[in-house]
Amino acid sequence: GDSVTQMEGPVTLSEEAFLTINCTYTATGYPSLFWYVQYPGEGLQLLLKATKADDKGSNKGFEATYRKETTSFHLEKGSVQVSDSAVYFCALSGGGADGLTFGKGTHLIIQP
Amino acid sequence: DTGVSQDPRHKITKRGQNVTFRCDPISEHNRLYWYRQTLGQGPEFLTYFQNEAQLEKSRLLSDRFSAERPKGSFSTLEIQRTEQGDSAMYLCASSLADRVIGEQYFGPGTRLTVT
């Protein structure tokens, strides 16, 4: 079945550092890929998405590129802020109308 | 747009009791999803509805779990004869059928503790 693997956390960075959170997936067919974020005390929110190979999703300074050849969708940000501290989930949709398949989440901590 | 709401936010119950959770989706959204999230894990898909039709229920964890969406608006998730392993966060999400499948809006969740 479909699966998502993302790097273990917590990831601790200083403010203005470069961020990469790795995500790889296994799926049949051509999934759509997503990053969701959960800020402290809040519900899951869609951060960005990509629906086909080589698409780049971007939002709030975060970017991720759908790489079919490496089955990856790594999340990047050039300069993180304290307000980016949250749990980040990589997810895929297998193409049917079923629910999302999520990774375990990566807890990101940004220190001032 | 008031967002997806869930009730109750917290539920403590004794093993063997039945519990029911409610989800109110964003008003114009015709798809509604239920997920379970345990500590340190990502959400796990359980079931979904398009309008009042339950189109996928094979992923419900056991026959003790059931869900309804009688008029295509709010939905309920019931767990019968709760077990300690049912302790988790139960999440509801909604979406529009004509949007990208994974573009879902999540509620705050109901945290269930089974003692």
Side-chain angles (χ1 to χ4, degrees):
Chain A
D2 296 348
S3 67
V4 174
T5 302
Q6 59 183 106
M7 62 192 292
E8 299 274 334
V11 173
T12 304
L13 295 173
S14 297
E15 203 165 21
E16 299 183 2
F18 184 86
L19 168 71
T20 299
I21 300 178
N22 291 336
C23 171
T24 57
Y25 67 90
T26 302
T28 54
Y30 302 96
S32 296
L33 302 174
F34 307 86
W35 279 99
Y36 275 79
V37 59
Q38 187 168 33
Y39 298 103
E42 299 184 17
L44 278 165
Q45 303 173 24
L46 177 64
L47 179 60
L48 54 83
K49 66 180 187 286
T51 58
K52 61 184 188 297
D54 300 325
D55 268 2
K56 178 185 282 188
S58 61
N59 187 24
K60 299 182 180 180
F62 290 89
E63 293 183 340
T65 301
Y66 189 152
R67 301 288 188 198
K68 185 169 178 289
E69 63 276 11
T70 55
T71 62
S72 65
F73 192 55
H74 305 320
L75 183 68
E76 297 182 334
K77 186 175 185 182
S79 176
V80 292
Q81 305 300 313
V82 172
S83 58
D84 294 326
S85 298
V87 182
Y88 291 81
F89 293 91
C90 185
L92 70 82
S93 173
D98 285 1
L100 293 160
T101 299
F102 283 88
K104 291 185 177 182
T106 302
H107 186 194
L108 175 65
I109 301 168
I110 307 300
Q111 297 177 331
Chain B
D1 179 356
T2 57
V4 178
S5 61
Q6 293 186 244
D7 184 69
R9 295 291 304 275
H10 303 272
K11 178 70 176 179
I12 300 173
T13 191
K14 293 186 177 180
R15 189 177 54 181
Q17 297 296 304
N18 298 344
V19 294
T20 299
F21 310 139
R22 176 179 171 125
C23 171
D24 287 90
I26 293 171
S27 58
E28 65 269 26
H29 285 187
N30 47 9
R31 285 201 177 130
L32 187 149
Y33 300 80
W34 284 99
Y35 294 83
R36 182 181 78 159
Q37 185 176 17
T38 54
L39 199 60
Q41 303 294 317
E44 176 186 13
F45 169 64
L46 297 178
T47 188
Y48 93 97
F49 295 84
Q50 180 152 326
N51 300 313
E52 66 275 11
Q54 189 173 12
L55 298 185
E56 172 58 63
K57 56 183 178 181
S58 67
R59 308 273 283 276
L60 286 167
L61 299 162
S62 78
D63 59 7
R64 297 184 297 105
F65 287 72
S66 63
E68 293 184 342
R69 193 182 185 196
K71 297 182 179 179
S73 56
F74 73 92
S75 175
T76 58
L77 178 70
E78 181 182 16
I79 309 173
Q80 295 183 330
R81 305 180 303 282
T82 53
E83 302 173 357
Q84 287 189 318
D86 297 332
S87 296
M89 180 75 85
Y90 290 85
L91 300 172
C92 175
S94 69
S95 70
L96 284 167
D98 62 350
R99 300 301 299 272
V100 172
I101 293 295
E103 201 169 315
Q104 297 174 13
Y105 294 79
F106 282 81
T110 294
R111 182 171 296 283
L112 173 66
T113 302
V114 182
T115 62

